[in-house]
């Protein structure tokens, strides 16, 4: 039974980890990278940014499907007191998205 649970947990975490992307930003775009490819996404193409408590993972929902799908998941930089409130990256991304919609 323990072996089955260990295999199940391994499969789940491999599936979940494969969905995570590496993300960087500048003032105009979100750069999303998988294992091989990196694509730019304009902030105007982002519908919403959400996260679970503490900002792990950050969930970026796109207006239209990209090469990585409609939803991008990434882990924000770890910080002490992770569950004390929203991660600062959420507010920064939301501000950049709103600025992108205005342009």
């Amino acid at each position: 039974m323990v072996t089955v649970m260990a295999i199940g947990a391994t499969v789940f975490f491999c599936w979940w980890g494969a969905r995570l992307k590496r993300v960087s930003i500048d003032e105009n775009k979100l750069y999303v990278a998988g294992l091989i490819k990196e694509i730019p996404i304009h902030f105007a193409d982002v519908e919403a940014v959400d996260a679970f408590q503490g900002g792990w993972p950050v969930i970026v929902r796109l207006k239209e499907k990209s090469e990585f799908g409609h939803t991008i998941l990434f882990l924000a930089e770890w910080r002490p007191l992770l569950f004390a409130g929203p991660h600062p990256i959420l507010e920064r991304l939301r501000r950049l998205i709103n600025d992108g919609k205005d342009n």
Side-chain angles (χ1 to χ4, degrees), residues 2-43:
V2 173
T3 304
V4 173
M5 290 176 59
I7 291 171
T10 301
V11 169
F12 171 77
F13 285 113
C14 287
W15 168 80
W16 190 81
R19 296 181 62 206
L20 292 174
K21 304 298 179 225
R22 190 178 68 243
V23 173
S24 58
I25 59 174
D26 65 18
E27 293 301 316
N28 301 310
K29 295 178 186 171
L30 185 73
Y31 297 91
V32 180
L35 292 175
I36 299 171
K37 185 180 276 191
E38 178 176 277
I39 61 169
I41 298 173
H42 291 276
F43 287 119

Side-chain angles (χ1 to χ4, degrees), residues 82-95:
L82 179 64
F83 297 103
H87 197 286
I89 193 67
L90 295 173
E91 185 58 38
R92 182 172 180 206
L93 283 171
R94 288 176 181 146
R95 183 175 34 83

Side-chain angles (χ1 to χ4, degrees), residues 40-96:
I41 298 173
H42 291 276
F43 287 119
D45 297 332
V46 176
E47 183 176 325
V49 177
D50 298 306
F52 291 108
Q53 182 65 33
W56 282 44
V58 176
I59 305 161
V60 179
R61 291 188 177 84
L62 304 176
K63 292 178 183 174
E64 296 188 20
K65 189 175 183 179
S66 73
E67 294 180 46
F68 295 123
H70 283 285
T71 304
I72 307 294
L73 297 175
F74 70 95
L75 296 178
E77 184 177 309
W78 186 86
R79 64 188 180 105
L81 303 174
L82 179 64
F83 297 103
H87 197 286
I89 193 67
L90 295 173
E91 185 58 38
R92 182 172 180 206
L93 283 171
R94 288 176 181 146
R95 183 175 34 83
L96 289 167

